[in-house]
Amino acid sequence: MIEFRIYITARFRQGGTAIKVQIDIKDQYDETVVTIQAKDWTEEISELVKRIKSPMTKRLVGVQDERSVLLEPSDIDYVYAENRKVYASMNRQSIELKMKLYEIEDLLIPHQFMRFSKSVIGNVEQIARFELSFNGNLCVHFKTGSKEYVSRSYVAQLKQKLIWGDSKDGE
């Protein structure tokens, strides 16, 4: 008979509300149930629900030279939309993806991707360095040598994710 209980307290944002997680493992349970108890609906709860609902994508399918190509999310620097098409940038190559940008964003969030601008989603794990531009945008340089810009409205979120990671509080 297996029985144990785990208690975790985490913060999703520096100075944000602590979220307590209780995991109860028992043989008597037939299925996994997630219950969220809160006073109000918050951004942290919304993010948590989004992560629970999103499947952990193993690979994406791209099209290059009329052939289907399997792409590992960890190898992608960024995904961008241009001329009503969506591309993945890997090793300074662009591979077309036959999905909408928002659909790809939902699939890639668990893989440390985040929105850089209205038309770009970037892989935070592939960032080598960044520079602040005069207009307030951030120029992100990837390990492969490619670069992309983060618009001002997403700069604070990116800095927070780079410093605090997923928990956003350093715990």
Side-chain angles (χ1 to χ4, degrees):
M1 176 186 264
I2 299 174
E3 284 192 27
F4 62 91
R5 215 171 240 180
I6 300 171
Y7 298 96
I8 303 167
T9 301
R11 291 190 198 284
F12 279 77
R13 187 179 302 153
Q14 185 178 17
T17 325
I19 295 179
K20 296 177 183 175
V21 178
Q22 297 178 1
I23 302 171
D24 192 11
I25 309 291
K26 290 184 183 174
D27 285 337
Q28 71 189 44
Y29 299 137
D30 292 330
E31 62 183 346
T32 302
V33 176
V34 177
T35 303
I36 298 174
Q37 298 174 334
K39 183 176 182 178
D40 296 311
W41 185 264
T42 64
E43 186 179 322
E44 290 89 357
I45 292 172
S46 181
E47 181 67 26
L48 188 59
V49 169
K50 187 188 259 186
R51 285 179 183 257
I52 290 169
K53 287 171 61 174
S54 69
M56 187 66 158
T57 303
K58 301 247 188 256
R59 295 185 192 149
L60 294 175
V61 178
V63 178
Q64 187 177 37
D65 301 325
E66 298 181 23
R67 288 181 277 165
S68 294
V69 181
L70 290 175
L71 308 175
E72 296 286 338
S74 60
D75 294 337
I76 298 171
D77 290 335
Y78 58 94
V79 177
Y80 65 99
E82 184 177 88
N83 298 326
R84 302 182 63 85
K85 291 186 179 182
V86 177
Y87 301 91
S89 177
M90 296 174 51
N91 299 318
R92 295 185 174 205
Q93 293 182 349
S94 293
I95 299 168
E96 187 178 352
L97 303 172
K98 298 290 185 179
M99 296 173 72
K100 302 284 185 202
L101 191 62
Y102 70 87
E103 294 170 332
I104 295 168
E105 180 179 23
D106 287 342
L107 293 174
L108 293 179
I109 282 177
H111 294 279
Q112 299 301 312
F113 279 75
M114 70 170 288
R115 189 64 79 152
F116 280 12
S117 67
K118 184 178 176 185
S119 60
V120 178
I121 303 161
N123 186 346
V124 175
E125 295 294 317
Q126 290 295 331
I127 295 174
R129 63 186 174 89
F130 54 89
E131 301 165 356
L132 189 59
S133 301
F134 289 111
N135 62 2
N137 291 353
L138 203 61
C139 180
V140 173
H141 296 264
F142 294 94
K143 294 174 184 174
T144 60
S146 62
K147 67 180 180 179
E148 188 54 59
Y149 291 88
V150 179
S151 64
R152 282 181 290 168
S153 57
Y154 294 98
V155 168
Q157 288 175 317
L158 176 61
K159 284 183 180 178
Q160 189 167 351
K161 188 164 185 113
L162 288 170
I163 293 168
W164 297 110
D166 261 348
S167 69
K168 297 181 183 165
D169 71 348
E171 287 182 18

